[in-house]
Amino acid sequence: MKTVLITGASAGFGKLVAEKLLAKGYTVYAAARRVERMQDLEAKGAHVMHMDVTDNESVKAGVGRVLEEQQRIDVLFNNAGYGSYGTIEDIPLEEIQRQYDVNVFGMGRLIQAVLPQMRQQRSGTIINTSSVVGQISTAVVGWYASTKHAVEAFSDALRMEVKPLGIDVVIIEPGAVKTEFDEVAFGTLDSLDLAEDYKPLVSGFRKYTGGMYAKCPGPEGTANAVIKAIEAKNPKTRYATTMDAKLLPRVKRLLTDKLFDKVVLSQMK
Ligand SMILES: NC(=O)c1ccc[n+]([C@@H]2O[C@H](COP(=O)([O-])OP(=O)(O)OC[C@H]3O[C@@H](n4cnc5c(N)ncnc54)[C@H](OP(=O)(O)O)[C@@H]3O)[C@@H](O)[C@H]2O)c1
């Protein structure tokens, strides 16, 4: 059975994918900072490890342990990440840098750590979790969207670089999904000292996005798409896993930029 390393396995997509793979008999390495939140996975047979994807040594040690114990790695589910909602002007630069360190450089650290082994094997699948906002960007999610645009860009390049070496690169694009993501993202927004000028926009954003998260799907469909990508002989390059993730980029392509802006802003009134 394949050996799979999952980052961000203490909650949301990562945890559900870990559960599903364990039930199918895969060898699962579940990584996150909150190891206490993965005790249930350990009881089901997962190898649980502490990993902070912003820490080079922590990433090297985690991947090193997988290779020492299994001598191979078949799948990296590069999933750890979070969003910080807020206007471009108001999110402090330190927070933006932290977001890049997790969402962009964190993924890069894992990719660089697993590739020597996957190249040697001449096989492997790297699954990077992007977002619908890797394809579009809207007010109040701009910095987060920019990290996911970066994920899309490096994934496209990596796919071309490693395909001849037998390694697949897959991008997962969920839209709004009920995990712990929205609590974290709104948590940043709540902590910001917003300039007065943005308050009406942000209040409209809260109503619109809060409403969306109140009725959005759970992680099941996205987790199933990840499993599908892992088990496919020839996986798709992108899996848009929710209705909004399938539709919004198409709508954007049909409209001019100015019309798209108007449509989005009309929802945030
Ligand atoms: N839910 C959505 O609406 C949605 C939509 C599009 C894309 N996404 C993306 O999907 C991915 C998973 O999010 P989710 O929805 O499952 O959210 P979640 O329930 O909040 O889970 C996020 C996971 O990331 C881990 N993580 C965060 N910072 C980390 C760090 N520095 N080092 C290691 N692990 C870290 C967390 O673990 P610890 O805190 O224990 O380390 C947690 O396991 C993210 O990349 C997110 O951007 C989510």
Side-chain angles (χ1 to χ4, degrees), residues 8 10 13 33-34 52-53 79 144 148 175 177 179-180 213:
S10 62
F13 302 139
R33 292 167 305 176
R34 292 171 296 174
D52 182 341
V53 299
N79 165 74
Y144 172 59
K148 293 303 188 181
V177 175
T179 59
E180 294 174 15
Y213 272 97

Side-chain angles (χ1 to χ4, degrees), residues 59-122:
V59 169
K60 273 190 205 153
V63 172
R65 179 179 154 194
V66 178
L67 297 183
E68 201 182 307
E69 293 177 1
Q70 307 296 331
Q71 291 79 49
R72 60 183 298 108
I73 182 161
D74 299 296
V75 180
L76 166 64
F77 180 30
N78 222 355
N79 165 74
Y82 75 99
S84 287
Y85 293 153
T87 52
I88 297 296
E89 183 177 345
D90 290 320
I91 302 184
L93 273 173
E94 305 75 61
E95 170 47 35
I96 296 160
Q97 281 172 336
R98 199 164 71 89
Q99 213 178 157
Y100 267 84
D101 210 7
V102 176
N103 295 1
V104 181
F105 305 127
M107 283 200 186
R109 281 183 191 97
L110 265 300
I111 289 167
Q112 292 189 347
V114 302
L115 270 178
Q117 175 65 27
M118 286 187 175
R119 282 193 294 105
Q120 197 185 320
Q121 291 170 191
R122 285 294 194 261

Side-chain angles (χ1 to χ4, degrees), residues 226-244:
V226 175
I227 306 289
K228 220 174 173 177
I230 291 173
E231 298 196 327
K233 238 192 166 145
N234 184 18
K236 296 199 295 184
T237 54
R238 285 181 165 74
Y239 291 79
T241 63
T242 57
M243 198 48 82
D244 53 341

